[in-house]
Amino acid sequence: MVTLPRYRYGARFYDTVSGERLLYRHGRAAAIRLLALQPGARVLVVGCGTGLDLPLLTAAVGARGEVVGIDASAAMLAQARRKVVRAGWRNVRLVDGDAATLPGVHGTFDAVLFTYSLSVIHEWRRAWQAALGRLAPSGRVAVVDTDLPTGLATPLRPLARLALWAGKVDRNRKVWTTVLDGLTDTRYHRLARGHIHVAVGTSTGPAARQEAR
Ligand SMILES: C[S@@+](CC[C@H](N)C(=O)[O-])C[C@H]1O[C@@H](n2cnc3c(N)ncnc32)[C@H](O)[C@@H]1O
């Protein structure tokens, strides 16, 4: 088990102080919409955190579907588990583990979702490959992540810089380009003047997965 100490004390306040209502929910909502999940689908959420994606995902896949979330922070997962119990979702499974190896994650998935996680996962390329390796043929992948805003929102850059620094986001990775460069049938949205990037694409099979290494 990997336990990230970073979120140990902040997990309880994450949903309130992370800017979810103001900003970040728009990114996750756009990604989940673009995944076009069908009832009965299986979805893997990598770096699921406190489970903010779960209400939208469980609604999309329905009772016959399944949502599996993996995270390396026990404190974040504890918050997610609370949501699962409170909502009574019987088709959500939460796994404590490293995204680079996906221990305890079995089977294949119709979709994989990384919301604000690929830019903070230490071994992010391994995590990307591991997730693609669990996709069913023609499975869809969504990446939502952050960068500094541009244009009219440029004056807000110091605030965004602070948020990225606090979240230990490596913005140089531009993780959404991994979808745009490596997958097919891609869709891309730039929200909040470039602070939030949403990219969704279809897996092109094992050959393309090797190329992305
Ligand atoms: C900024 S939070 C985003 C959480 C959630 N996806 C959301 O949208 O609110 C990043 C999450 O990635 C998780 N994480 C970081 N490195 C990880 C790793 N190596 N394996 C699994 N999860 C990891 C953290 O524990 C944290 O919960």
Side-chain angles (χ1 to χ4, degrees), residues 4 7 14 28 47-49 52-53 71-73 76 97-99 115-117 120-121:
L4 289 179
Y7 299 97
Y14 179 88
R28 76 180 79 253
C48 64
L52 287 169
D53 300 310
D71 202 282
S73 162
M76 294 292 264
D98 189 351
T115 40
Y116 309 104
S117 58
V120 306
I121 292 171

